[in-house]
Amino acid sequence: MSAHGPALELAGITKRFGDTTAVEGVDLRVNFGAVHVLLGENGAGKTTLLRIAAGLLPPDEGRVVIPLTSSAAAAQPSTAGATRISLVHQHFSAVPALTVAENVALGRGGLLSRFNPGAIADELAALHRETGLVLPPPNTRVADLEVAEQQRVEIAKALLKRPGILMLDEPTSTLSPDAGRDLYRWLGEYAAGGHAVVVVTHRISDALAFGTDVTVLRHGRVALRAPRSATNERELLDAMFGAELEFAPDPASADAAAEGTDGRPVVIALRGAGYRDDRGVEHVANATLDIRAGEIVGVAGIDRSGHSALLRLAAGRIRPTSGSVVRGSTVAFVPEDRLRDALIGELSLEENFLLRGSAERRGWVSSAEGRAKTAAAMSAYAVRATDTLVPAAELSGGNQQRFVLSRELADQPRALVAEHPTRGLDARSGGFVRQALRSMRERGGAVLLYSADIDELLAMADRIVVCHRGRVIAVSRDRAAIARAMAGTA
């Protein structure tokens, strides 16, 4: 096999999840000796394509051809190991309480196999000599490692499977800039040794600095494919984010942006707010932001940029570990994943409605009153269901989202935090949700809106901030400025 021949070819790959098409008709070719960078904004289909290539998801249409094997074969979960592909997931899978050696053994499976720490230590030492990958001592607990060291442990687990193709999903998302550069340098050396590397990222700067070839996905389709030497930042930005508005701009937003909002009362105020999780990972740092009555503040940011923690700080779902967040009243919250974070699918709509504000309520709940309030809210938001006793899981995605909005806005709160509320909705349901947010602004409510779609933010928001590596950056309502801030090239 040529050191620079094809290692992996995807032909006409399409994958659907219900009514949502994640990737459509995608062709991809990865060569030995190359670091192939897969770029795209949130929801572009990058991770889905990677999982299909690695055999973790079957495609609905198309073929995965792996010349490493004796014959072309469609990758399936049962044969992924035989194709010598290893995937390093975005979220670490190591068990923090176990040592490096124990995690390596666990990653191999085989619960009845004997654990031999000495043999694993020898393997890791050999891997270091062979690849140059610097690893922590095998007897170190993973919980005691820095994030960059944990990432290298994940890579070591993948490399010990002796793959010809190494795939990594957002490998630098939790690393410092220096650690990220070190990782990419190593990946380049690994590829130059006759292997193939595929990296999913959202960072244009990384693609241009370290990639060999670049493929850009937008809305599940290939928007650009080129050698790194044949493209530039402007082309990649246009391919990732598009050049034309897909939503008609809201005249009220333009007027509000022109007039300013200094005279309106502040409903939510963040003052140097920061948040570190239990592992010590910083998600938001020194964020200062006012959300005022009668405006929609838009939030843009790619995965793990800190926007999720920022929204939860503003909504009071998490507490700041530094600085402060002041809210004038209870804040309604619409999370991105409605079935995971907003609804209990097995419970009825009436029971889900009564969950609103349940942490602050005590005493008995009147079933008749709850049923009446649920029915009234559903009617106001045109939620289609036979009655209030229907399980939430039986509703379509659009009706679930309408229901969540109807519940959160039932008492006309002064503030709403909405996390990509149109995600996965069809045009009609998405339009209904956008109009509900505009109506709240018109009656003097304050809205903090995150969307993965820049077009939607430009159409909806009076002001826009971008989250990048935990920092909150105010930007103009301009596509190029937003895209550059999101990509870290502002």
Side-chain angles (χ1 to χ4, degrees):
M1 186 69 68
S2 168
H4 296 279
L8 172 70
E9 294 183 79
L10 279 64
I13 298 296
T14 296
K15 183 65 181 179
R16 305 178 186 88
F17 298 97
D19 295 333
T20 301
T21 300
V23 292
E24 183 174 4
V26 171
D27 296 331
L28 180 72
R29 173 173 168 154
V30 178
N31 293 320
F32 286 111
V35 176
H36 197 116
V37 178
L38 196 58
L39 277 173
E41 61 179 324
N42 294 359
K46 307 185 299 294
T47 297
T48 297
L49 193 66
L50 210 66
R51 289 171 62 82
I52 289 172
L56 300 178
L57 280 176
D60 293 325
E61 298 173 17
R63 296 181 303 128
V64 180
V65 180
I66 304 167
L68 280 168
T69 55
S70 57
S71 60
Q76 298 293 336
S78 61
T79 63
T83 61
R84 295 175 57 212
I85 295 177
S86 284
L87 171 60
V88 179
H89 297 274
Q90 180 179 356
H91 304 289
F92 299 162
S93 61
V95 180
L98 301 183
T99 67
V100 172
E102 288 168 339
N103 271 285
V104 168
L106 187 64
R108 289 177 168 174
L111 294 177
L112 298 179
S113 60
R114 178 173 295 180
F115 172 55
N116 187 334
I120 290 179
D122 290 342
E123 285 188 70
L124 292 174
L127 182 66
H128 167 65
R129 292 192 299 270
E130 180 183 329
T131 67
L133 183 66
V134 178
L135 294 167
N139 60 350
T140 308
R141 279 198 328 148
V142 168
D144 297 329
L145 299 178
E146 297 292 334
V147 173
E149 292 177 307
Q150 293 183 35
Q151 177 67 278
R152 291 198 292 272
V153 170
E154 296 290 338
I155 294 173
K157 288 163 57 182
L159 291 181
L160 286 174
K161 298 176 182 177
R162 301 298 172 183
I165 306 169
L166 179 64
M167 298 182 166
L168 305 97
D169 192 357
E170 298 284 1
T172 63
S173 61
T174 57
L175 301 184
S176 68
D178 286 344
R181 284 190 289 270
D182 288 344
L183 174 60
Y184 271 115
R185 289 191 192 100
W186 180 84
L187 289 173
E189 294 170 0
Y190 183 72
H195 302 90
V197 175
V198 181
V199 177
V200 161
T201 185
H202 55 266
R203 295 175 181 169
I204 290 175
S205 58
D206 287 350
L208 292 173
F210 305 108
T212 307
D213 302 293
V214 182
T215 296
V216 179
L217 293 185
R218 177 168 167 79
H219 300 322
R221 298 181 178 181
V222 173
L224 180 148
R225 63 167 64 88
R228 178 193 64 187
S229 58
T231 188
N232 55 49
E233 179 184 300
R234 180 70 264 167
E235 287 183 349
L236 295 178
L237 283 169
D238 287 345
M240 283 179 67
F241 300 107
E244 300 296 332
L245 286 177
E246 296 180 0
F247 300 102
D250 179 14
S253 295
D255 293 344
E259 294 172 4
T261 57
D262 291 343
R264 300 171 183 171
V266 175
V267 180
I268 304 175
L270 288 80
R271 294 290 179 266
Y275 177 72
R276 288 181 182 270
D277 63 22
D278 294 338
R279 295 170 53 209
V281 176
E282 185 178 62
H283 296 266
V284 177
N286 196 31
T288 295
L289 178 66
D290 289 338
I291 301 99
R292 298 176 180 270
E295 70 166 348
I296 297 175
V297 177
V299 179
I302 43 74
D303 289 336
R304 300 176 74 87
S305 64
H307 66 269
S308 180
L310 176 71
L311 265 62
R312 282 157 178 78
L313 283 171
R317 266 47 180 186
I318 57 176
R319 295 180 179 179
T321 52
S322 61
S324 64
V325 180
V326 179
R327 290 172 292 276
S329 61
T330 301
V331 179
F333 181 51
V334 177
E336 182 173 24
D337 193 327
R338 48 190 169 266
L339 272 178
R340 185 189 67 189
D341 299 326
L343 299 169
I344 299 177
E346 296 80 5
L347 297 185
S348 69
L349 296 175
E350 179 182 328
E351 291 167 322
N352 272 284
F353 191 89
L354 293 174
L355 290 175
R356 178 175 54 94
S358 56
E360 289 134 12
R361 296 204 309 264
R362 298 291 184 274
W364 294 95
V365 176
S366 166
S367 179
E369 180 182 354
R371 185 173 296 115
K373 286 186 175 181
T374 304
M378 290 170 60
S379 176
Y381 282 78
V383 178
R384 295 181 180 178
T386 54
D387 57 47
T388 63
L389 299 179
V390 172
E394 293 187 9
L395 270 62
S396 67
N399 277 296
Q400 288 173 353
Q401 194 72 313
R402 289 180 189 229
F403 176 79
V404 172
L405 272 172
S406 76
R407 179 185 66 191
E408 295 301 306
L409 301 182
D411 292 337
Q412 296 196 336
R414 291 188 63 203
L416 168 68
V417 174
E419 185 177 32
H420 204 175
T422 60
R423 173 178 174 257
L425 303 186
D426 59 31
R428 182 175 181 180
S429 295
F432 185 95
V433 169
R434 287 190 287 272
Q435 185 53 47
L437 301 186
R438 287 169 173 160
S439 296
M440 181 168 182
R441 177 186 61 192
E442 290 165 6
R443 66 173 175 80
V447 179
L448 184 64
L449 168 67
Y450 165 75
S451 176
D453 194 320
I454 292 178
D455 296 330
E456 186 168 53
L457 289 178
L458 288 170
M460 293 288 295
D462 305 306
R463 293 187 289 128
I464 294 176
V465 298
V466 170
C467 288
H468 180 70
R469 297 189 179 181
R471 270 56 180 180
V472 179
I473 308 160
V475 296
S476 61
R477 293 175 71 254
D478 172 79
R479 175 190 298 279
I482 297 167
R484 288 179 183 276
M486 289 173 66
T489 61

